Amino acid sequence: MAEPLLSAQNLVIGYRRAAFGASQPIVPVVKGVSLSIARGEVVGIVGESGSGKTTLGRALLGLIAPMSGSIAFDGTPVSGLDEQRMRPLRRRMQMIFQDPMSSLNPRHRIRRILTAPLLLHKVARTMREADQQAAMTLERVGLPPGVLTRYPHEISGGQRQRVGIARAIMLKPDFVLADEIVSGLDVSTQAQVLRLIGALTREMGLAMAFISHDLSVIRAICDRVIVMRQGEIVEEGACDVVFDAPRAAYTRSLIDAIPLPVPDSTWLTRVDVAA
Ligand SMILES: Nc1ncnc2c1ncn2[C@@H]1O[C@H](COP(=O)(O)OP(=O)(O)OP(=O)(O)O)[C@@H](O)[C@H]1O
Ligand SMILES: [Mg+2]
């Protein structure tokens, strides 16, 4: 098997409780997780609130240091890198957030939000080049050029999420972490955004960790799923296999808890949501 793009071994991750002082032991919230993600693979991470999904995702991007365990991105260890050595990896690992309103700087126009990372990472050498790339990416995510001169609060929630996606793919990353990116959107906007994500991952050969509460969303776009409970992986496997025949009782209970008795893997392509 080819070497995975991203691999994590025995990750233990915790937060220090500031209120109790540094002498308090750190309580782990991710407890010995190992996973790997291949190039171009879309892996869903599902589990109840507080199960450690976001914590795991942030550690994979090198945003939180694990207490123990190791993470490697394309053969390079992620933990313990200084900012200078981390920078080339940062370009290759991007994130799309749940709430673009809080992740897009409200005082900057979309043009600046999209062009600044291009100039910072020297993907574009001139403002003119950055502008051209921003315009092309905006078009790719289905937004009109007029959006460039708007502020984040001057566009709709669905459009903001497309700007968040544009910002993440601008730098041509190899890996994107998407954390609950459609939770705040209505169902038809969700379907549009998910279709866009599906097309982009295929076109760009992009690997993705897709965190969601919603099993029907995971099933519609992920190749593989990891089910987390209380900081541990309780089940993982190909989406079709896990959803058709879950082995863990916990996975079964997640499937039973959603409104559709069995998540329908075809809902994204159905006519009623394709509008
Ligand atoms: N910055 C933090 N400081 C201290 N504890 C935290 C911090 N962030 C998360 N936690 C705790 O870590 C545990 C895991 O949280 P995490 O946000 O990773 O869960 P999650 O699976 O993403 O949940 P949700 O589905 O609600 O987003 C929770 O008990 C949470 O309270
Ligand atoms: Mg979370």
Side-chain angles (χ1 to χ4, degrees):
M1 202 182 111
E3 193 184 312
L5 179 65
L6 184 64
S7 76
Q9 301 295 326
N10 282 315
L11 286 184
V12 179
I13 315 161
Y15 297 99
R16 194 181 289 285
R17 302 228 176 114
F20 297 103
S23 60
Q24 285 289 319
I26 303 178
V27 186
V29 297
V30 171
K31 306 161 189 167
V33 164
S34 300
L35 60 87
S36 65
I37 299 177
R39 285 169 200 286
E41 189 182 29
V42 181
V43 176
I45 302 177
V46 71
E48 66 200 348
S49 183
S51 56
K53 305 180 297 292
T54 296
T55 304
L56 173 64
R58 295 179 63 87
L60 292 177
L61 292 189
L63 301 173
I64 325 177
M67 295 157 69
S68 64
S70 62
I71 303 162
F73 181 76
D74 202 9
T76 307
V78 169
S79 20
L81 290 185
D82 55 34
E83 197 43 46
Q84 196 189 345
R85 284 190 300 161
M86 193 66 206
R87 187 171 283 181
L89 287 191
R90 290 228 188 282
R91 182 193 68 76
R92 299 178 59 195
M93 309 169 92
Q94 293 291 315
M95 182 162 182
I96 311 170
F97 298 87
Q98 169 167 8
D99 176 11
M101 201 57 212
S102 62
S103 64
L104 303 177
N105 189 328
R107 289 184 299 275
H108 291 175
R109 294 180 201 270
I110 306 303
R111 173 177 182 234
R112 177 152 167 203
I113 289 171
L114 294 182
T115 53
L118 290 172
L119 296 166
L120 175 72
H121 287 277
K122 302 193 170 56
V123 171
R125 282 159 302 170
T126 60
M127 193 64 218
R128 200 187 138 96
E129 233 178 74
D131 271 338
Q132 281 169 353
Q133 291 180 28
M136 265 166 50
T137 311
L138 208 66
E139 190 184 344
R140 179 60 200 92
V141 300
L143 290 173
V147 165
L148 283 171
T149 54
R150 306 259 187 92
Y151 289 95
H153 70 269
E154 294 175 333
I155 56 180
S156 74
Q159 289 177 323
R160 268 197 296 275
Q161 200 47 290
R162 285 173 195 264
V163 171
I165 293 167
R167 184 176 61 171
I169 63 164
M170 292 289 296
L171 296 168
K172 306 208 165 33
D174 304 298
F175 174 72
V176 172
L177 172 70
D179 193 350
E180 302 283 4
I181 62 168
V182 295
S183 306
L185 306 173
D186 65 72
V187 174
S188 82
T189 312
Q190 274 190 4
Q192 290 169 8
V193 168
L194 290 171
R195 262 200 302 276
L196 174 63
I197 291 284
L200 289 172
T201 51
R202 279 191 302 274
E203 267 168 39
M204 301 175 67
L206 199 58
M208 185 173 275
F210 191 96
I211 297 175
S212 178
H213 282 93
D214 189 336
L215 287 170
S216 44
V217 164
I218 297 249
R219 186 168 196 179
I221 74 156
C222 296
D223 305 310
R224 195 151 57 84
V225 63
I226 288 174
V227 183
M228 286 187 69
R229 184 188 196 191
Q230 295 175 5
E232 291 174 299
I233 294 179
V234 294
E235 178 156 8
E236 68 175 296
C239 272
D240 292 347
V241 176
V242 171
F243 290 129
D244 288 342
R247 279 177 293 118
Y250 179 67
T251 312
R252 174 88 264 160
S253 71
L254 289 178
I255 294 173
D256 289 345
I258 63 170
L260 298 167
V262 174
D264 176 356
S265 62
T266 64
W267 71 270
L268 207 51
T269 45
R270 282 195 329 247
V271 191
D272 53 328
V273 290

